[in-house]
Amino acid sequence: MSVNSSSHHKLRARVIAPARLHMGFLDLGGSLGRRFGSIGVGVNEIATRLSMMPSDRLTAHGPGADRAIAAVNKFVSALEQDFAVEIRIEDAIPGHIGLGSGTQLELAVGMALSRLYGLDLSVRNLAPIVERGARSGIGIAVFEQGGLVVDGGRGENTVIPPVVARLEFPADWRLILVLDERDLGLHGKDEIEAFRALPVFPAKEAAHLCHLLLMKGLPALVERDIRGFGEVIAELQRSVGDYFAPAQGGRFTSAGVAKALAFLEAQGAVGIGQSSWGPTGFCLVENTTRGETLVTAARRQFAGTAGLRFLLATPRNKGADVMLERTNASREKTLRL
């Protein structure tokens, strides 16, 4: 069904796109011909939520409205089709804090257009149009299917990094997110320049990280061994964090987040790391009860640190929700199609 139907003014597309944690790169040197390679997971508690309806002109309202309009215009150019829609962004993943805000918003806009206009386009059709997946494919894969995802990096002819492993993340495990509202991670031209300025990543270290993930980290996840999985993520993070240290001022972008993670690790949390360029940090705990205990302790410990926030998050084992609804304004009724 598309907006060309007789009831087009009553159709609405809605998308909920989850934030993603980027848990680290595997081969920043690309000695085998594929560069980057990443591991990451989706979370439920932070998401971009938007709705889209046909309109007489292109408008957008809410956080990230300008970026949403820019994304629509890219789809207009690429698909050679005019899209006059009204976009309402209810929530947006905060930008430049390491949670994949740009990818999730632009893919949400693309999938809403596809559903509303009956275009039958996949996430992988849409991502290159908005130039997503230039380095990591984690944001695209989390939007597409959720769970714990490993991508194979970029080869010479790669359009979007291929997903080489996708596993269910244990539903009872919890992620503690440490956010620093006073800081932003590298992005845009600064991010590109940082990658350019860094030295070649040692092939021996990349081999070690890949060995570690394949023969310890992923089996530990399947066997629900949180300590074993956490040890791998922490080592991967130490290696990549130290490599990026000249560009981001240390292993972690935010000194406050670094202190908070050290505290949480001392309390028994595992899998200590920073998502992407940060400043958002994360760690793992076995269950909700343990997570709530540690979050309460951390909030008490860092009550005097301005901008530091702690959030207990659940893993998301499914991709974005993309829905087409028929609304009846006079009866205030919504029918899911």
Side-chain angles (χ1 to χ4, degrees):
M1 183 175 287
S2 74
V3 293
N4 297 320
S5 67
S6 59
S7 60
H8 70 269
H9 62 284
K10 294 178 182 176
L11 286 181
R12 175 174 63 198
R14 290 181 59 238
V15 183
I16 302 171
R20 62 98 183 104
L21 292 179
H22 192 288
M23 291 177 149
F25 286 112
L26 298 171
D27 185 356
L28 287 151
S31 59
L32 295 178
R34 302 196 71 91
R35 196 172 176 213
F36 304 117
S38 311
I39 178 171
V41 66
V43 296
N44 286 303
E45 283 66 21
I46 303 176
T48 289
R49 296 176 176 85
L50 63 78
S51 62
M52 179 185 288
M53 295 183 75
S55 182
D56 54 355
R57 61 195 178 93
L58 173 58
T59 59
H61 316 273
D66 290 347
R67 181 169 234 166
I69 286 178
V72 172
N73 286 327
K74 287 179 183 177
F75 291 120
V76 167
S77 298
L79 302 173
E80 298 180 339
Q81 181 171 345
D82 191 33
F83 300 114
V85 292
E86 178 187 8
I87 303 169
R88 293 199 169 271
I89 303 166
E90 300 150 42
D91 293 300
I93 299 163
H96 311 309
I97 66 167
L99 297 178
S101 60
T103 297
Q104 302 308 304
L105 177 61
E106 291 175 350
L107 292 180
V109 167
M111 286 305 292
L113 287 171
S114 177
R115 191 60 60 88
L116 200 58
Y117 285 82
L119 301 177
D120 197 29
L121 294 170
S122 72
V123 174
R124 296 196 167 243
N125 297 142
L126 296 165
I129 296 172
V130 285
E131 298 159 42
R132 290 291 155 186
R135 281 176 289 277
S136 169
I138 295 301
I140 297 166
V142 162
F143 187 101
E144 193 175 43
Q145 54 191 322
L148 188 284
V149 186
V150 181
D151 80 57
R154 297 193 66 80
E156 191 180 343
N157 302 309
T158 300
V159 178
I160 296 169
V163 174
V164 294
R166 188 271 175 198
L167 297 168
E168 289 283 301
F169 200 91
D172 51 340
W173 291 5
R174 293 293 175 263
L175 297 130
I176 298 175
L177 307 189
V178 186
L179 303 115
D180 186 345
E181 294 169 343
R182 304 158 303 169
D183 212 339
L184 293 177
L186 284 175
H187 57 278
K189 289 179 181 175
D190 290 340
E191 180 183 7
I192 293 167
E193 192 51 47
F195 271 109
R196 193 176 290 138
L198 288 165
V200 174
F201 194 78
K204 188 176 178 181
E205 183 65 7
H208 170 63
L209 296 179
C210 291
H211 185 197
L212 201 61
L213 182 65
L214 183 63
M215 294 309 295
K216 183 176 178 181
L218 298 185
L221 188 82
V222 173
E223 293 182 346
R224 305 299 192 254
D225 170 12
I226 193 169
R227 205 147 290 282
F229 179 73
E231 285 169 0
V232 170
I233 295 301
E235 184 168 344
L236 200 158
Q237 283 280 329
R238 283 193 295 272
S239 175
V240 175
D242 289 348
Y243 174 74
F244 282 134
Q248 64 185 18
R251 186 178 288 173
F252 296 94
T253 294
S254 161
V257 168
K259 287 177 185 172
L261 289 173
F263 171 80
L264 288 163
E265 187 174 24
Q267 305 299 309
V270 298
I272 307 295
Q274 172 180 288
S275 183
S276 192
W277 287 106
T280 303
F282 63 84
C283 58
L284 291 166
V285 290
E286 298 88 338
N287 52 46
T288 302
T289 305
R290 188 83 186 110
E292 287 173 348
T293 300
L294 290 198
V295 166
T296 300
R299 284 174 180 156
R300 191 180 300 123
Q301 179 76 13
F302 294 94
T305 307
L308 217 55
R309 214 155 56 79
F310 298 89
L311 175 68
L312 189 61
T314 54
R316 185 178 177 93
N317 280 311
K318 64 173 185 168
D321 291 322
V322 184
M323 300 150 279
L324 186 64
E325 302 169 340
R326 184 182 289 135
T327 62
N328 187 328
S330 61
R331 297 182 187 177
E332 296 186 348
K333 185 180 178 184
T334 300
L335 176 67
R336 184 76 51 82
L337 302 177

